[in-house]
Amino acid sequence: MQKIKNLQNQLQQSIMTSPKKLRDLIREIRAAKTQAEERAVVNKETADIRNNFRDEDSTYRCRNVAKLLYIYMLGYDAHYGQLECMKLIASPRFTDKRIGYLGAMLLLDERTDVHILVTNCLKSDLNHNTQYIAALALCTLGNIASPEMGRDLAGEIERVIKSSNAYLKKKAILCAVKIVRKVPELMEMFIPCTRSLLNEKNHGVLLSAVALITEMCRLSPDTLNHFRKSVPLLVRILKNLIMAGYSPEHDVSGISDPFLQTRILKLLRLLGCHDDEASEVMNDILAQVATNTESSKNVGNAILYETCSTIMDINSESGLRVLAVNILGRFLLNNDKNIRYVALSTLLKVINVDHNAVQRHRSTIVDCLRDVDSTIKKRAMELSFALINENNVRGMMKELLEFIVVCDDDFKADAASNIVAAAEKYAPNKRWHVDTVLKVLTCAGQHLRDDVIYNMCQLVASTSELHQYSVQRLFLALKEDPTQQALSQVACWCVGEYGDILVHGTSEEADPIQISEDEVLDVLEKTLVSSLSSVISKEYALNALVKLSTRFSQTVDRVKAIVHPYASSTDIELQQRAAEFSHLFGTFSELRNGLLERMPLIESKSTLVNGEGEATLSEMEQQADLLGGGGTSPVKSSPLDGLSPPTSTQQSSSVLDLLGDLSSTPAMPATSSLGPSSSGGDILDLLGGTSSTSAPAMNSNPALNNPMDLLSSLGLGTAPTTTPTPNIMSAQPPSMMSYDFTGQGLLGDGTNGEASSIPSMESYNKNGLVINFDFSRQPGSTDLTVTMTAVYNGSTEITDFVFQAAVPKSFRLDLQPPSGNKIAAFGMGNVTQKMLIKNPNKQQLKLRLRLQYKLEGKTVSEIDDVKNIPEATWN
């Protein structure tokens, strides 16, 4: 009796000390009402699990590891369970191995040191007599295979692939896919046995084999050419799937094995790309799939999508491409938002392949602009701009202008810049162009980038027959709504330039409206004093007022009264402008008419649409030109800096640097000067010489004290010659104005004479990114100026674009700052950058490039040697 009681006590004690079951732990964690309660439960349980691991409790090791994996999936640390997983894997029992391999897949990665132990266990279990244990090893290898593990076990995987067991064969093929990704040189081991797999009847094996062939073709062009011979076999398999009757094992919503169909279509797309013979073989089957697949279910839509993508990627017939575009057009009418989004994204990619076929669905695409889903609206907007051409520009612009009025603020900047770019490219006439851009200014004036402002000013300046019409429309729009900053800036600039035409001019294009001088000044003064006006808008208004003092005859005193108080403004830029302008009404009043003449025609530059709402460097320079340099430079410079812009250098690299870390040696920026003889007496000095020389600090030049030099930023047309003027100002605040009067841009090369004619060349063309070089060299000089222009013809913009170059050590390379770091899609924008190369020994020019950019979220890095550089660059 005593023995029975002892056994009962031992049994009761063992029951009380047994660890909690997994289902009890899950129930307890789910019952926790707060995060703190959940942490308390997890901490208590992990402490018990550690104790059991420490006691080497093999009885409940499997249960403890299972609970630990659940805790790990909740986001808690579980790294201390790695060795326990290895002990379970070494166990002979299937239940232990199953939990052990699951733990290995979750807790191990390529960086862990226990991989060697795992490799030995995997090798042993791959040869196990029980297929389910071998399958566990294959699943684990397919998940955590490292390059070393792949090399060690590739032979075992090849052996299993050649076996007759379909259950293990399909898993082994997927392991081969993982190994090929990790160690591409092992690809040759699997090529011989892979082609025979396409004759398998088992759909699981066939699906895995197609995945393996796709991966090998993607990684190796030679393998791609090898498997092009299998196109007829793949076409036959796909045809059998389409024509096959009902099979309950493979049927999904009435379609036979859609997973295998989509995989085969992806492989055919890869094999038929740039190959006429392969494309010809698969044309008929693609037409059958496109016409016989039911589109009422999502399964059918998935197959149709892959079919359309394959048709557009291979060298298919024109009728087949039209069929694919029509299918995508039907997708746009689907109620499912995901299908509509996929259709828009695909049409955006294929528009360059068959533009006319996509044009037929223009009305449906424009309707998507009214969708409530923002992602669909964004894709529809991008596609709408890609559809614009000379024939439909009026209708498309009408729709897009309606869209920009009602769209979210996130879309306005991109939509406005693209509308301006399209109007500039396809405008049927100048008046329509002006009206379109003005509509953009009034609808989205708070969200516009600087490129729109520059282009509108350039457009008005270059259209003399529409000066009164344009200025009148802008003035009335500003009078009605002075809160739109872009509108305020363009209107102020145009009114300042052409205010006399606004008040006194007559034109057949403009309606006869009487506007007085005081009325114009009232509007500009309202812009100046408004708390809603930005500092840049006030600078434009101040410039306009001063220019109107030479265009109006009765309000000069009022202009002076308005400008004078700003000489004590708290904003340094407004203060300096007002101080300098005040001198034009006093001591130097006789110079005012010459200094404030109309600006010469602004050089036309293409609009750069970078898609992210950021103005590039060239756009900031354009803004500086219109303002006289106001407020766009991050560093305040001397007023004389505008006379001869300094050139900045970034790096000088050798060819060998590109093979390493691309280390660079920064160069000191050159300082420009008028020279010791410049006294500011000749007003033509304000135009700046085209050559620049190094000089000491600028404040040592007595010309700094000359107020006439401070007027170099006002924007001159032509100016008279005057006599030297005395020094009347002992100190001036630093100026941000640096206007480029020479027309060479802020990065002008500062050379005299005509450059020698050297043919341009295309230095790089890959994946839609094209880089061209334009060369310029003065006769007899060894210095070469290379202008790099990068254009992208794809459907998605390039961001974070970085261009680097290297030359041999006998050369000297100076890279100037780029115009930006974003390249718009469809060739609608570019990035430019200048290189100054010194070649004192007149050696043959060798150049190596390094490009780095982001495309669709992925970082791309390329190194390339430039070949066939024209001999005229060094001879």
Side-chain angles (χ1 to χ4, degrees):
M1 182 63 69
Q2 184 65 32
K3 290 182 178 179
I4 294 175
K5 288 183 178 179
N6 291 337
L7 289 173
Q8 288 177 345
N9 291 335
Q10 291 177 4
L11 181 62
Q12 185 176 4
Q13 185 176 3
S14 64
I15 293 175
M16 292 179 62
T17 57
S18 63
K20 193 180 300 180
K21 294 182 178 180
L22 176 60
R23 68 169 66 92
D24 296 332
L25 174 63
I26 294 174
R27 188 180 298 113
E28 192 172 347
I29 289 177
R30 288 180 176 176
K33 296 181 179 180
T34 64
Q35 188 70 29
E37 289 181 18
E38 179 185 299
R39 282 197 298 269
V41 173
V42 170
N43 290 337
K44 181 178 181 301
E45 190 60 36
T46 51
D48 293 341
I49 292 173
R50 284 194 185 95
N51 290 333
N52 289 328
F53 287 165
R54 196 177 298 114
D55 296 339
E56 294 292 333
D57 184 3
S58 59
T59 306
Y60 297 106
R61 180 179 287 128
C62 181
R63 180 184 297 181
N64 288 325
V65 171
K67 290 189 294 184
L68 187 63
L69 294 180
Y70 177 73
I71 291 172
Y72 171 77
M73 287 189 290
L74 292 178
Y76 296 93
D77 186 27
H79 68 278
Y80 52 87
Q82 292 176 352
L83 289 179
E84 300 302 319
C85 292
M86 297 304 306
K87 294 176 182 177
L88 288 177
I89 291 173
S91 172
R93 296 194 302 172
F94 173 77
T95 53
D96 288 349
K97 283 183 178 291
R98 182 175 59 181
I99 297 298
Y101 276 125
L102 177 62
M105 285 186 278
L106 289 175
L107 301 180
L108 301 185
D109 56 38
E110 297 180 16
R111 294 169 292 181
T112 53
D113 296 330
V114 296
H115 254 219
I116 298 176
L117 299 176
V118 178
T119 303
N120 294 331
C121 293
L122 288 173
K123 192 167 187 177
S124 174
D125 287 340
L126 284 173
N127 297 304
H128 204 279
N129 294 329
T130 305
Q131 67 173 359
Y132 300 108
I133 292 180
L136 288 176
L138 289 170
C139 289
T140 305
L141 178 61
N143 277 276
I144 65 171
S146 64
E148 295 77 13
M149 191 181 293
R151 292 186 182 93
D152 292 339
L153 300 177
E156 301 296 327
I157 297 301
E158 183 186 15
R159 179 187 59 78
V160 178
I161 290 176
K162 293 179 179 179
S163 69
S164 59
N165 189 328
Y167 176 73
L168 295 180
K169 184 182 292 189
K170 62 184 180 183
K171 295 179 182 292
I173 296 171
L174 293 178
C175 287
V177 174
K178 180 76 170 183
I179 292 172
V180 166
R181 286 176 183 167
K182 293 291 183 180
V183 192
E185 56 264 26
L186 294 178
M187 188 186 308
E188 296 180 0
M189 179 183 295
F190 299 107
I191 290 177
C193 61
T194 303
R195 189 170 184 181
S196 61
L197 294 174
L198 294 177
N199 296 314
E200 289 283 341
K201 301 300 181 183
N202 185 284
H203 282 215
V205 175
L206 200 54
L207 181 63
S208 303
V210 172
L212 176 58
I213 295 173
T214 303
E215 187 65 26
M216 291 192 294
C217 291
R218 188 181 64 84
L219 294 174
S220 170
D222 294 336
T223 307
L224 179 65
N225 292 328
H226 173 78
F227 280 104
R228 280 200 170 112
K229 303 173 186 177
S230 303
V231 169
L233 180 57
L234 291 168
V235 169
R236 187 168 66 250
I237 296 172
L238 187 56
K239 187 173 183 179
N240 291 337
L241 288 173
I242 298 172
M243 300 303 177
Y246 175 75
S247 172
E249 185 181 356
H250 306 118
D251 184 84
V252 179
S253 299
I255 295 178
S256 178
D257 204 342
F259 302 101
L260 181 56
Q261 288 193 44
T262 54
R263 274 289 182 182
I264 293 176
L265 287 168
K266 287 181 179 179
L267 179 54
L268 289 176
R269 183 190 319 166
L270 206 59
L271 297 174
C273 186
H274 306 303
D275 189 279
D276 293 333
E277 184 178 351
S279 300
E280 180 66 26
V281 174
M282 62 183 74
N283 274 336
D284 291 340
I285 189 62
L286 291 175
Q288 292 182 38
V289 174
T291 53
N292 295 334
T293 303
E294 179 62 42
S295 61
S296 59
K297 300 292 181 62
N298 201 44
V299 175
N301 289 328
I303 295 176
L304 288 174
Y305 166 72
E306 293 297 341
T307 304
C308 294
S309 299
T310 302
I311 290 172
M312 303 311 293
D313 280 0
I314 68 174
N315 300 340
S316 57
E317 299 171 349
S318 59
L320 203 55
R321 290 199 299 268
V322 172
L323 175 61
V325 173
N326 290 339
I327 291 173
L328 295 172
R330 289 204 306 271
F331 281 178
L332 295 177
L333 303 175
N334 199 296
N335 293 328
D336 192 320
K337 294 180 179 179
N338 294 322
I339 294 177
R340 294 205 303 276
Y341 179 83
V342 166
L344 289 168
S345 300
T346 309
L347 287 172
L348 193 59
K349 294 177 182 178
V350 306
I351 191 170
N352 291 329
V353 180
D354 199 331
H355 191 275
N356 292 331
V358 181
Q359 281 284 359
R360 298 188 184 98
H361 303 277
R362 187 172 66 242
S363 59
T364 310
I365 294 168
V366 171
D367 288 340
C368 292
L369 291 172
R370 305 178 183 89
D371 199 286
V372 294
D373 190 281
S374 59
T375 57
I376 292 178
K377 280 195 291 190
K378 187 175 189 300
R379 279 287 179 259
M381 182 185 72
E382 294 171 351
L383 185 54
S384 296
F385 284 117
L387 287 173
I388 297 175
N389 57 28
E390 295 88 346
N391 300 323
N392 62 21
V393 63
R394 289 181 183 271
M396 290 296 295
M397 281 300 179
K398 182 179 178 181
E399 297 287 349
L400 290 167
L401 288 172
E402 292 177 0
F403 168 74
I404 202 173
V405 173
V406 299
C407 70
D408 299 333
D409 291 346
D410 296 338
F411 296 107
K412 287 187 184 291
D414 286 342
S417 289
N418 281 287
I419 287 174
V420 173
E424 181 181 356
K425 188 174 183 180
Y426 301 114
N429 55 67
K430 290 292 186 180
R431 177 161 179 170
W432 181 90
H433 192 180
V434 170
D435 289 339
T436 300
V437 180
L438 181 58
K439 181 68 173 176
V440 172
L441 290 173
T442 55
C443 294
Q446 297 289 71
H447 308 276
L448 296 182
R449 297 195 286 263
D450 293 340
D451 59 336
V452 178
I453 299 171
Y454 171 81
N455 278 276
M456 183 59 178
C457 293
Q458 192 276 334
L459 172 63
V460 173
S462 62
T463 315
S464 57
E465 67 274 13
L466 293 177
H467 278 170
Q468 183 173 5
Y469 174 78
S470 304
V471 177
Q472 187 182 100
R473 290 287 306 277
L474 286 165
F475 174 77
L476 295 177
L478 176 61
K479 184 178 180 181
E480 182 178 349
D481 185 9
T483 61
Q484 303 283 357
Q485 298 307 304
L487 174 63
S488 297
Q489 293 166 23
V490 174
C492 288
W493 187 88
C494 293
V495 168
E497 291 296 316
Y498 310 109
D500 52 338
I501 300 177
L502 174 65
V503 175
H504 306 295
T506 58
S507 172
E508 296 180 359
E509 296 285 345
D511 298 329
I513 300 176
Q514 189 63 35
I515 300 175
S516 65
E517 295 182 2
D518 286 322
E519 190 177 355
V520 175
L521 296 186
D522 289 341
V523 173
L524 294 176
E525 186 177 13
K526 185 178 180 181
T527 302
L528 267 177
V529 301
S530 175
S531 59
L532 300 177
S533 297
S534 66
V535 174
I536 295 180
S537 296
K538 292 181 179 181
E539 294 168 7
Y540 272 95
L542 205 59
N543 275 19
L545 281 168
V546 176
K547 289 202 170 189
L548 289 178
S549 68
T550 65
R551 290 144 174 78
F552 292 170
S553 57
Q554 303 173 2
T555 54
V556 177
D557 292 337
R558 184 181 174 187
V559 170
K560 182 178 178 181
I562 295 173
V563 171
H564 182 71
Y566 287 92
S568 57
S569 172
T570 56
D571 183 85
I572 187 65
E573 182 64 29
L574 289 175
Q575 180 190 111
Q576 178 170 340
R577 287 175 184 271
E580 294 174 355
F581 293 155
S582 295
H583 285 287
L584 291 178
F585 294 101
T587 310
F588 305 101
S589 58
E590 70 278 3
L591 301 178
R592 193 170 70 247
N593 289 333
L595 289 173
L596 301 179
E597 283 186 353
R598 286 181 188 168
M599 289 182 64
L601 183 62
I602 306 172
E603 181 183 355
S604 177
K605 299 179 182 178
S606 297
T607 303
L608 175 60
V609 183
N610 56 22
E612 294 291 337
E614 297 178 2
T616 62
L617 179 64
S618 62
E619 293 164 1
M620 292 190 290
E621 293 167 359
Q622 295 161 7
Q623 175 85 342
D625 288 347
L626 298 178
L627 273 177
T632 59
S633 173
V635 181
K636 295 187 176 183
S637 58
S638 168
L640 290 178
D641 289 347
L643 304 180
S644 182
T647 58
S648 62
T649 58
Q650 285 187 323
Q651 60 185 18
S652 176
S653 308
S654 69
V655 173
L656 295 178
D657 290 338
L658 284 177
L659 302 176
D661 58 356
L662 274 164
S663 59
S664 60
T665 305
M668 294 299 293
T671 307
S672 58
S673 161
L674 288 177
S677 63
S678 175
S679 62
D682 192 343
I683 200 68
L684 292 177
D685 289 343
L686 295 175
L687 299 176
T690 55
S691 61
S692 60
T693 57
S694 299
M698 295 299 296
N699 57 11
S700 64
N701 194 327
L704 270 178
N705 297 325
N706 191 339
M708 288 310 307
D709 290 330
L710 297 176
L711 299 175
S712 62
S713 61
L714 293 178
L716 308 181
T718 58
T721 303
T722 64
T723 56
T725 53
N727 177 358
I728 63 170
M729 298 177 69
S730 59
Q732 292 291 339
S735 172
M736 296 173 68
M737 306 184 200
S738 60
Y739 184 77
D740 170 30
F741 295 100
T742 64
Q744 296 176 349
L746 295 181
L747 298 177
D749 55 8
T751 57
N752 291 316
E754 295 186 359
S756 60
S757 176
I758 304 176
S760 302
M761 67 170 292
E762 182 182 280
S763 60
Y764 180 87
N765 190 339
K766 188 175 181 182
N767 299 326
L769 178 61
V770 180
I771 293 181
N772 294 314
F773 282 168
D774 295 315
F775 303 98
S776 175
R777 185 163 66 92
Q778 299 302 317
S781 173
T782 60
D783 296 347
L784 177 69
T785 300
V786 184
T787 302
M788 181 279 299
T789 304
V791 180
Y792 183 59
N793 297 318
S795 60
T796 307
E797 73 165 0
I798 285 178
T799 59
D800 298 341
F801 177 78
V802 177
F803 171 85
Q804 295 174 310
V807 293
K809 291 185 177 180
S810 59
F811 293 76
R812 172 71 179 179
L813 171 66
D814 291 334
L815 274 178
Q816 295 186 344
S819 63
N821 65 348
K822 294 182 176 65
I823 308 178
F826 304 114
M828 295 185 68
N830 58 35
V831 167
T832 60
Q833 189 169 3
K834 282 192 176 183
M835 297 182 287
L836 306 179
I837 302 176
K838 296 183 180 295
N839 183 9
N841 301 324
K842 292 188 177 182
Q843 297 178 347
Q844 180 178 354
L845 178 59
K846 297 180 181 179
L847 200 61
R848 176 168 291 182
L849 310 180
R850 179 177 180 181
L851 309 174
Q852 186 169 329
Y853 55 89
K854 285 187 177 180
L855 182 62
E856 296 180 348
K858 297 180 181 179
T859 301
V860 180
S861 184
E862 296 279 353
I863 295 179
D864 194 26
D865 290 328
V866 181
K867 300 177 181 179
N868 301 323
I869 298 177
E871 185 178 350
T873 57
W874 70 83
N875 266 343

